[in-house]
Amino acid sequence: MDGREHRWFILGASLIPLIAVFGAMVLLWNRIFGWTDLLVLFIMYAISGFGISAGYHRMLTHRSFETYKPVRVALATAGVMAGQGPPLIWAAHHRKHHRVADKEGDPHSPHLDFEPGLKGALAGLWHAHLGWLFDDKLTSDPMRYCPDLVREKPLRLLSQHLVLVTAAGVVLPGLIAYAVTGGDLRALLTGMLWGGLVRIFLINHMTYAVNSVGHYFGRRRFETTDESRNVAWLSLPSFGEAWHNNHHAFPRSARHGMKWYEVDLSAVLIWSLEKTGLAWKVVRIDHERMELREAGISRVTGSARERQELLESQQRIAPLAERGNRQDTSLVDVE
């Protein structure tokens, strides 16, 4: 899928669910809404939410844990059903984001090249939320940023059959509603509306809010080189993604909610997979390291000189990936 096709997909995945939301409001006003609609909305929101958070983000992009191929493919497929684009492009964009977060080249920073004042702030938030996906100059080549993922045939197939799999994610909740009601045709249609299109609208804007709100408002526990923030009220519906400053401080951590009270549903899922033997090599951050980082001390890149040396070494490696080198040049480990 090239950049133009990707933009058309995102446009469709943004406008069609938005229209569906207005349609759902009309039906709700006329009381054309059943318990099965709420059921499939909840089920599909959870499936696609875990697909994006635990699958696309922590498993594929940051390699926070390893799992068996069927589980890996299932999580990636659930991510495709969210309607946020192919896993390869999603991962490439996000790895690029971590490489230059809130600096020139960041695909969705709300802080670059926007005029001062309220107008500039709103323009930056819109760009970070959704506008960046329609930027003609947006490029994040998967061969450069995630060559490790490009080599996986199932991920290439999911990218090639993106529209079909996403459409299946709209039909599936209708079929679930149809089955549990014993063959109610109206439940089939409203199930597709609520569990399919309305759900895509909700999960996507929740994810996009992490990019926009999560780099503008909220608390900064750790001193990072970007403007990432922890946004508590977004943590539950985003499956833990809104502990965004925590994440930027420790990108590979499988757990974004670092404190006991920081709700992180994806971390619970990964823990459950690990306890049942379905996940291993789960990346965790020890308490001493977190305390040092919270105090403004880094054991890994504590000085400007070390950070500069690390950046220079990464810049030397990057051209090799462009020539087809098999080394993974993603910067997901950078703190």
Side-chain angles (χ1 to χ4, degrees), residues 184-230:
D184 187 337
L185 183 59
R186 191 177 77 171
L188 168 69
L189 297 175
T190 59
M192 291 172 59
L193 175 66
W194 286 95
L197 297 175
V198 173
R199 178 265 311 173
I200 287 177
F201 175 86
L202 293 175
I203 195 66
N204 283 357
H205 285 281
M206 199 60 62
T207 301
Y208 299 153
V210 175
N211 293 339
S212 55
V213 177
H215 277 261
Y216 222 98
F217 304 102
R219 181 190 174 201
R220 286 175 55 79
R221 172 180 298 140
F222 300 101
E223 286 297 324
T224 59
T225 58
D226 51 66
E227 294 295 329
S228 56
R229 314 276 169 157
N230 289 335

Side-chain angles (χ1 to χ4, degrees), residues 273-309:
L273 292 174
E274 184 182 28
K275 289 301 180 181
T276 54
L278 295 176
W280 57 91
K281 292 186 179 180
V282 178
V283 178
R284 292 186 173 87
I285 309 300
D286 62 75
H287 289 291
E288 179 189 0
R289 188 177 174 191
M290 279 192 285
E291 289 173 359
L292 286 172
R293 189 63 186 271
E294 192 167 2
I297 304 169
S298 174
R299 297 190 314 203
V300 179
T301 57
S303 70
R305 180 179 177 181
E306 290 172 326
R307 289 194 293 270
Q308 181 62 31
E309 290 175 351

Side-chain angles (χ1 to χ4, degrees), residues 135-167:
D135 184 358
D136 291 338
K137 299 177 182 178
L138 177 65
T139 57
S140 298
D141 183 8
M143 279 303 298
R144 177 179 181 181
Y145 292 99
C146 51
D148 55 318
L149 303 181
V150 173
R151 292 193 290 270
E152 296 188 41
K153 185 176 180 180
L155 298 182
R156 295 199 306 272
L157 289 174
L158 284 173
S159 295
Q160 291 167 6
H161 301 289
L162 174 71
V163 176
L164 180 62
V165 178
T166 306

